[in-house]
Amino acid sequence: MRTEHIKDGWWEMPGHLIGEIWPGTKNAKDHRVWLPKPVLDIIAEIEPEPGFAFTNEAGNAIDKLDGAMRDICQALGVENKVTPHDLRRTRCSTVTGLASAEMRWTAFKITRMAACVTSTA
């Protein structure tokens, strides 16, 4: 996520290549991701320089999230494998485990908006 792509509460990902700073999207189509207020608050709090909103110690984009999650789990003594996909699956399980259909539908709408990716092309 680059700070210059955050506009009016949306992360706007250009589909096309932008020099050395942005590779474009896999399908070459523009995409938008709605950013919930807590995410915008975190970005505002860390006050990133122009460029990547979240960086590693060297100032580069965070990559290899799967490996980082494994390292954290190992440090915490968590024995089961945990992956980035587990976070999404947990969200779905939590929503479907809610008591009433109305609660499930409301939670689904809220969390889906937070994870919504829309194509603008």
Side-chain angles (χ1 to χ4, degrees):
M1 174 185 296
R2 296 189 62 88
T3 56
E4 59 268 29
H5 295 161
I6 300 170
K7 298 176 183 143
D8 299 323
W10 290 86
W11 172 26
E12 299 182 349
M13 296 171 274
H16 62 281
L17 174 73
I18 301 176
E20 295 289 318
I21 66 166
W22 180 253
T25 59
K26 286 184 187 178
N27 64 5
K29 293 182 180 180
D30 294 346
H31 292 282
R32 297 176 77 203
V33 177
W34 177 73
L35 300 174
K37 185 175 180 337
V39 172
L40 295 171
D41 291 345
I42 290 168
I43 294 170
E45 184 177 314
I46 62 174
E47 299 178 350
E49 298 290 324
F52 295 113
F54 303 102
T55 61
N56 59 22
E57 295 81 18
N60 299 317
I62 296 173
D63 61 355
K64 301 181 177 100
L65 181 59
D66 186 65
M69 287 179 69
R70 288 175 198 246
D71 292 345
I72 291 167
C73 288
Q74 183 178 9
L76 295 173
V78 175
E79 296 179 14
N80 295 332
K81 175 185 167 192
V82 179
T83 67
H85 182 74
D86 293 329
L87 300 176
R88 189 172 75 195
R89 186 172 39 248
T90 299
R91 169 201 160 259
C92 292
S93 298
T94 300
V95 168
T96 57
L98 294 174
S100 72
E102 183 179 347
M103 287 174 65
R104 285 192 298 273
W105 179 242
T106 301
F108 175 79
K109 289 188 297 185
I110 291 169
T111 57
R112 182 66 184 133
M113 282 192 298
C116 180
V117 178
T118 59
S119 176
T120 59

